[in-house]
Amino acid sequence: MTAPPSGPSSVPTLLVLDADPPSPPPRLGSLTGRARVEHADASTLAERLPSADVLLVWNFTSRAVRAAWPGEGPRPRWVHTASAGVDHLMCPELAASDTVVTNARGVFDQPIAEYVAALVLSMAKDLPRTWELQQRGTWRHRESQRVTGTRACVVGAGPIGRAIVATLEALGVTTALVGRTPRTGVHGPDDLDRLMARADWVIAAAPLTERTHGMFDARRFGLMQPSARFINIGRGPLVVEDALVEALSKHWIAGAALDVFEHEPLAPDSPLWQTPNLIVSPHMSGDTVGWRDDLGSQFVEMYGLWEAGGSLPNVVDKQRGYVPGH
């Protein structure tokens, strides 16, 4: 990796792609004197990118980097995104460059796993219906499902997928983990159809790549048991949303929960709002109290490594679109 500038007056320029208000900026006070911190939004990013040594993509929903990346000529030597996914910033010019890209792997793993466990328990125990009946003042006794002894197929063998497996297994769920390549403890893509057909819970936690785009379509929903549920906390475009609406409306599957969508925020006229047995949440599965501080602290720690010329963690394989080695 290219070392930062050296010499008494060569303080690196850190450019922050700010998130939209009211999201607060990252806390970078500890970098005072160690970095010249500048800020940009979508309208000024292209102008300021060539003079930056480091780009912090704090606005991890923005696709501005794709449009603004300079290609040939001066450009940041390191880009860090405050997110697990990198599809929002990756473009051919960035992928072909020698710029190092890192992500926020490790911050969201356990919060997302807990969120998935909450969804599994909520659907198994019919909690949405309980709340709905309470609002109507209706006393209706029902039987709920035991979670222990059910089967889950978790698609995506990265840290988030592995955290989901560990958390569900603590609830007594038998889990199968599916990744890009088969290895010890991980099934390959050729096993996915078979595992989905047996699962009570199918959980999408894969990165968004050319291979995973639209992988959950009408055919795959048709493989699932009528009693099964589907959960997506990965990336919205993993799912063909019209196919999921049809699967739920025709009772091919018993229920689903989406925390991520093809287009965000979800439009008020989207049919997903009214789809039966679907839980919609606004991309919040990994966002626990203090999560922005955790993201900022992670970046500051990584900046110290970069500043010292050390090796960075969480380096993304720009061709694959994720951090390899899992």
Side-chain angles (χ1 to χ4, degrees), residues 177-219:
L177 185 61
V178 179
R180 185 175 185 267
T181 56
R183 53 201 182 274
T184 303
V186 180
H187 295 268
D190 291 344
D191 292 333
L192 178 57
D193 288 356
R194 174 179 61 84
L195 294 169
M196 284 186 64
R198 300 174 58 195
D200 300 290
W201 314 96
V202 175
I203 299 152
L208 180 61
T209 67
E210 289 184 3
R211 296 178 61 174
T212 62
H213 193 287
M215 67 184 299
F216 296 101
D217 54 11
R219 184 187 70 82

Side-chain angles (χ1 to χ4, degrees), residues 26-27 51 55 61 68 70 85 96 123-124 135 154 222 231 236 261 283-284 296 313:
R27 296 184 179 181
S51 62
L55 172 65
T61 65
M123 288 190 278
Q135 296 302 105
V154 180
I231 297 171
F261 304 88
H283 204 149
M284 57 180 284

